[in-house]
């Protein structure tokens, strides 16, 4: 209770409070029913430290930071702030003590301006004008340029993240939590962010940095705490570890290495897109403009790009969820298919895996066998004269389970009861078992544990080796360089010319993701649209 | 201590079966209190409602007769609701079916038309019900008009249209000015199953409809389509199913079934067309559909149960002077509890001890 009355020193300079860490958790535990999301976790975060929180999805990282930010109450254990135990009533109390957080998913209103969004997020007693002035000042000080008067929908993802960071900084936090901030950034934008974080560190603040990108953590962080299955595995200095040793701690074993078959042959073009343009079907959607590419059998084409640059629209156009008027824009197996429905495209030998597993790729509250039928009814012999062959649908479930190591509680559970990784293995398996000629897959390993990700990537490589054409859209550049033969980049609804994987450096891809052109003549000022 | 609803990882099949029973139990408790407030002996009232009708053959047959339209309409509605198409206007489709079928009966009255009359009446009633239901369905698909409002409003149009016909052009000239058509000829009447009884052929048709719906939903790709469009619209589109086509289809089928139920009621138990042929079957069937968990077999049982409340309500009125409107109150409370109990299928109650105390205890 005394902690409530303590006045906070608003300047970040007086932070060196001697021997005690700025924030410490002791035996922090969070229990959901029988499930221990956090099992007695101890961490110490010191001033002037960038502390990484490493772990796979479901390791308990988010639960831990939510407890620290006051969003959830721990079931047991305590949080000590500057040596004193505290109980946070909610995020506003956390903020008033000097704990700030930048979420992975932004909470911004598209139709409001930058300044209005910031004002909504502050516990504000100052006037809008003073606040705007302070916003400009903070954004200038930290090299995070923002125009307070622009509406959010006009901004790129990187700029939106800047709003969130500036909003957090305007409360002058001593302790800042960042949840996977680089997931939505181009490599160049990430570099700029690191400069800002280094600067915050030299000002004496502490940063808790959630990530699963090991190279990034090794480069930026002074300390790393690794979580696995809700438990703390170790706290170490990431610079003294290798990426492989960090990965072992995260996963709890060796990760299967993904290998491409040697001497893969490319065959005939199986998926051709000719000058595809498509108007968006919703406000603030992305217009696809003059997209063309050719994908041969035996080949994996990767599409990189920051989320929201037209990848979803391209998927809908390729799958036939949004057919186009002009048949010739999309050619599957030599047949003009631009106007065809998704079922007819499946009958031509195409298969699709969307980004959203629950609600798009599967009906969450339906059984796996019914979800096998969802895409299998078109061309997999699961339907006879309008009647469902239940045995055939169950056989698909069993086969996918066996081939792709899908772990589940019973033979035919509801889709929603599977973990993300296992459901994704099932979905990819369901499509691959149909022996598709063309597979279009979006974010195949998004939010999937490393083991499942390796299984899925290997399956895509094997499918290509068997002669199928595979199109992979991903925001994970490491994934694309690992499996793709060629990589193209989407920006503002346009697709760059593909680069051979051997030439596609992070640098080049990053430039394309930011909207620059690779031709030296234009490179100087081709940013933006 | 705090009571919270916690999401289950998987839907509970036990609760899916038990939840209608819980709802009925809660309704009976509520009604007991209500009867007590009305100054009636709750025990006797409940006996009149639920026990007395089950004790004689006439009432038992009457229950089946009342359940027939309820079940037929509710089966059609359940297809709509499963596909996320909200047909609230079954009452109107019921009336229009009754009117359309009666047209043949009225026109052939007194002629020596043969055995084709009744089948023709049934077919025409189904077609008319389907067409009437297609009005809100097409408005929904083409213009995005809320089918809930349009289908409901069309009930009153149908009601007044029927009223006009029996007071005007179709009125029985020998009917002492009552608003009714003449009694239908024998060839225009649904045959009884037992001579001198109440049970008629319509009940058999209702059972066939239940069986057909069970096969449709459980075994066919069309049934799967209906379920997946309602349960996960985006996944359904990914599966290649067209939600708009299904709105049209399910509205047409439910309109046809309601129309069929309408003519069976008029050409069966009633015997002629008059206002008030329905004590709100089209609306009560909404309760039947949900109480039956949108499952054909469940709807059959729920239909019989709600028919019991109609008969019981009459008995209670005669024996204890409880107003007939109490039956409607009963049905409304029942729907309320059914919908409330449904949340237990996906959620469960949990007692939570506030965490602060635990934290302090540990610290």
């Amino acid at each position: 209770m005394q902690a409530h009355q303590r006045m906070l020193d608003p300047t970040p300079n007086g932070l060196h409070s001697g021997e005690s860490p700025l924030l410490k958790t002791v035996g922090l535990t969070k229990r959901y029913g029988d499930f221990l999301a956090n099992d007695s976790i101890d961490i110490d975060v010191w001033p002037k430290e960038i502390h990484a929180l490493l772990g796979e999805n479901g390791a308990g990282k988010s639960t831990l930071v939510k407890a620290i930010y006051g969003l959830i109450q721990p079931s047991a254990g305590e949080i000590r702030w500057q040596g004193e135990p505290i109980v946070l009533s909610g995020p506003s109390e956390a903020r008033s003590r000097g704990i700030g957080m930048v979420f992975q998913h932004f909470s911004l209103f598209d139709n409001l301006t930058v300044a209005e969004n910031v004002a909504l997020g502050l516990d504000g007693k100052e006037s809008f004008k003073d606040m705007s002035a302070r916003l400009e000042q903070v954004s200038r000080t930290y090299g995070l340029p923002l125009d307070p008067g622009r509406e959010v929908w006009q901004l790129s993802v990187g700029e939106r993240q800047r709003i969130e960071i500036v909003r957090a900084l305007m409360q002058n936090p001593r302790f800042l939590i960042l949840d996977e901030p680089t997931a939505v950034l181009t490599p160049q934008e990430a570099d700029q962010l690191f400069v800002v974080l280094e600067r915050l560190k030299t000002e004496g603040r502490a940063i808790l940095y959630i990530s699963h990108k090991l190279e990034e953590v090794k480069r930026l962080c002074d300390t790393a705490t690794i979580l696995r299955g809700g438990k703390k595995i170790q706290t170490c200095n990431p610079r003294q570890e290798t990426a492989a040793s960090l990965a072992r701690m995260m996963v709890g074993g060796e990760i299967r290495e993904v290998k491409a078959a040697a001497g893969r042959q490319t065959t005939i073009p199986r998926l051709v897109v000719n000058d595809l343009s498509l108007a968006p079907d919703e406000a603030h959607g992305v217009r696809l403009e003059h997209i063309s590419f050719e994908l041969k059998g035996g080949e994996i084409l990767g599409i990189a790009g920051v989320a929201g640059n037209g990848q979803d629209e391209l998927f809908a156009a390729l799958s036939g969820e949004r057919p186009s008027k002009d048949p010739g824009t999309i050619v599957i197996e030599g047949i003009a298919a631009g106007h065809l429905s998704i079922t007819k495209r499946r009958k031509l030998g195409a298969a699709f895996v969307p980004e959203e597993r629950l609600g798009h790729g599967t009906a969450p509250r339906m059984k796996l066998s019914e979800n096998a039928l969802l895409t299998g009814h078109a061309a997999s012999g699961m339907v006879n004269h309008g009647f469902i062959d239940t045995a055939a649908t169950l056989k698909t479930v069993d086969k996918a389970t066996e081939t792709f190591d899908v772990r589940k509680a019973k033979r035919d559970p509801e889709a929603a009861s599977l973990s993300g990784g296992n459901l994704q293995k099932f979905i990819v398996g369901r499509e691959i078992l149909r022996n598709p000629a063309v597979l279009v897959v979006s974010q195949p390993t998004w939010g999937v544990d490393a083991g499942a990700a390796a299984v899925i990537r290997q399956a895509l490589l094997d499918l290509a080796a068997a002669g199928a054409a595979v199109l992979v859209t991903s925001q994970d550049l490491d994934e694309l360089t690992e499996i793709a033969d060629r990589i193209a980049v989407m920006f503002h609804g346009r697709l760059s010319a593909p680069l051979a994987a051997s030439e596609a450096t992070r640098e080049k891809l990053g430039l394309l993701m930011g909207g620059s052109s690779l031709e030296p003549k234009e490179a100087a000022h081709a940013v933006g649209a | 201590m705090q009571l919270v609803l916690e999401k289950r990882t998987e839907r509970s099949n036990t609760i899916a079966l038990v939840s209608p029973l819980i709802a009925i139990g809660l309704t009976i408790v509520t009604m007991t209190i209500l009867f007590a407030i009305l100054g009636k002996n709750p025990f006797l009232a409940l006996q009149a409602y639920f026990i007395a009708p089950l004790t004689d053959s006439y009432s038992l047959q009457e229950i089946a007769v009342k359940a027939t339209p309820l079940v037929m309409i509710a089966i059609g509605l359940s297809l709509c609701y499963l596909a996320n198409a909200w047909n609230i206007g079954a009452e109107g489709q019921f009336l229009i079916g009754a009117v359309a079928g009666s047209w043949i009966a009225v026109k052939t009255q007194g002629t020596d038309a043969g055995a084709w009359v009744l089948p023709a009446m049934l077919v025409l009633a189904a077609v008319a019900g389907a067409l009437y239901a297609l009005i809100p369905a097409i408005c929904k698909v083409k213009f995005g008009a809320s089918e809930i409002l349009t289908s409901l409003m069309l009930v009153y149009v149908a009601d007044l249209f029927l009223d006009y016909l029996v007071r005007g052009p179709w009125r029985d000239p020998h009917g002492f000015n009552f608003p009714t058509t003449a009694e239908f000829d024998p060839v225009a009447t649904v045959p009884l199953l037992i001579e001198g009884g109440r049970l008629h052929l319509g009940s058999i048709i209702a059972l066939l409809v239940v069986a057909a719906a069970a096969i449709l939903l459980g075994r066919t790709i069309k049934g799967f389509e209906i379920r997946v469009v309602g349960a996960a619209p985006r996944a359904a589109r990914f599966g290649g199913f067209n939600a708009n086509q299904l709105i049209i289809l399910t509205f047409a089928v439910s309109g046809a079934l309601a129309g069929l139920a309408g003519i069976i009621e008029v050409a069966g138990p009633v015997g002629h067309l008059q206002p008030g042929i329905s004590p709100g079957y089209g609306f009560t069937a909404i309760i039947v559909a949900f109480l039956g968990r949108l499952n054909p077999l469940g709807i059959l049982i729920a239909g019989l149960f709600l028919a019991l409340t109609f008969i019981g309500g009459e008995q209670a009125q005669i024996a204890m002077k409880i107003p007939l409107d109490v039956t409607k109150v009963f049905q409304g409370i029942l729907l309320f509890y059914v919908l409330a109990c449904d949340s237990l299928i996906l959620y469960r109650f949990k007692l939570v001890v506030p965490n602060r105390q635990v934290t302090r205890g540990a610290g």
Side-chain angles (χ1 to χ4, degrees), chain B residues 28-248:
Chain B
I28 289 176
V29 171
T30 311
M31 289 306 289
T32 306
I33 297 168
L34 197 65
F35 287 134
I37 293 169
L38 285 173
K40 310 285 178 191
N41 180 337
F43 178 75
L44 291 177
L46 288 174
Q47 205 214 0
Y49 256 88
F50 297 112
I51 311 292
L54 298 174
T55 51
D56 68 285
S57 151
Y58 177 84
S59 297
L60 283 173
Q61 286 192 50
E62 198 58 32
I63 288 171
V65 168
K66 282 263 191 303
T68 296
L70 288 177
V71 169
M72 283 175 70
I73 300 169
I75 291 281
L77 290 181
S78 71
L79 299 182
C80 285
Y81 299 162
L82 283 169
N84 244 343
W86 299 98
N87 182 2
I88 308 297
E91 180 82 0
Q93 295 139 26
F94 177 92
L95 296 175
I96 286 293
V99 164
S102 299
W103 177 71
I104 297 182
V106 168
K107 291 297 161 196
T108 59
Q109 194 114 46
T111 65
D112 50 3
W116 60 269
V117 173
L118 183 67
M121 284 163 68
L122 297 182
V123 170
L124 188 67
V127 170
L131 290 176
Y132 202 62
L134 281 178
I135 300 171
I138 289 170
C139 287
K140 164 80 174 176
V141 170
K142 291 277 176 220
F143 313 113
S146 163
E147 75 277 26
I148 297 176
L149 290 177
T150 49
S151 64
L152 179 62
M153 290 192 291
L154 284 169
V155 170
Y156 305 106
V157 176
D159 196 19
L160 292 171
F161 181 56
L162 186 155
D163 218 44
Y164 157 75
L165 287 175
V166 293
R167 288 174 201 277
W170 291 0
R171 190 173 55 187
D172 180 9
H174 314 292
F176 308 101
N177 250 348
F178 280 111
T180 167
T181 65
E183 281 302 300
F184 290 175
D185 289 340
V187 286
T189 304
V190 177
L192 292 174
L193 291 181
I194 310 160
E195 202 56 45
R198 294 282 293 156
L199 215 53
H200 57 80
L201 189 66
S203 304
I204 304 288
I205 297 178
L207 287 176
L208 292 177
V209 167
V210 170
I215 293 169
L216 173 78
L217 288 173
R219 296 258 166 270
T220 69
I221 188 74
K222 204 36 115 183
F224 175 69
E225 210 176 313
I226 290 171
R227 288 187 292 130
V228 76
V229 160
R234 195 150 170 242
R237 194 159 56 138
F238 178 66
F241 305 134
N242 185 329
N244 280 347
Q245 269 176 20
L246 275 188
I247 291 177
I248 301 277

Side-chain angles (χ1 to χ4, degrees), chain A residues 73-75 77 89 342-343 346 352 354 359-360 362-363 365 370 373-375 377 386-388 410 414 417, chain B residues 7-11 215 219-221 224 227-228 232 234-235 237-241 346 350 355-356 358-359 363:
Chain A
Q73 296 294 333
S75 312
S89 61
I342 188 166
T343 300
R346 287 198 176 107
F352 310 95
H360 193 182
T362 63
R365 290 287 172 190
E370 294 176 303
L373 182 66
L374 183 71
T375 63
H377 69 90
F387 284 84
I388 299 163
K410 54 184 184 186
E414 282 176 12
S417 72
Chain B
K7 198 158 189 170
R8 297 174 190 270
T9 49
E10 195 157 340
R11 55 177 284 144
I215 293 169
R219 296 258 166 270
T220 69
I221 188 74
F224 175 69
R227 288 187 292 130
V228 76
R234 195 150 170 242
R237 194 159 56 138
F238 178 66
F241 305 134
L346 295 180
K350 207 171 165 214
N355 292 313
R356 250 154 216 261
V358 178
T359 316

Side-chain angles (χ1 to χ4, degrees), chain A residues 8 175 197:
Chain A
L8 287 164
F175 183 92
L197 297 184

Side-chain angles (χ1 to χ4, degrees), chain A residues 290-316:
Chain A
H290 308 294
I291 290 178
S292 298
F293 62 85
E294 187 181 278
L295 183 54
K296 293 193 174 83
E299 191 182 28
I300 299 181
L301 172 64
I303 295 186
V306 173
N309 271 292
Q311 292 96 326
D312 297 347
E313 287 81 358
L314 180 63
F315 182 87

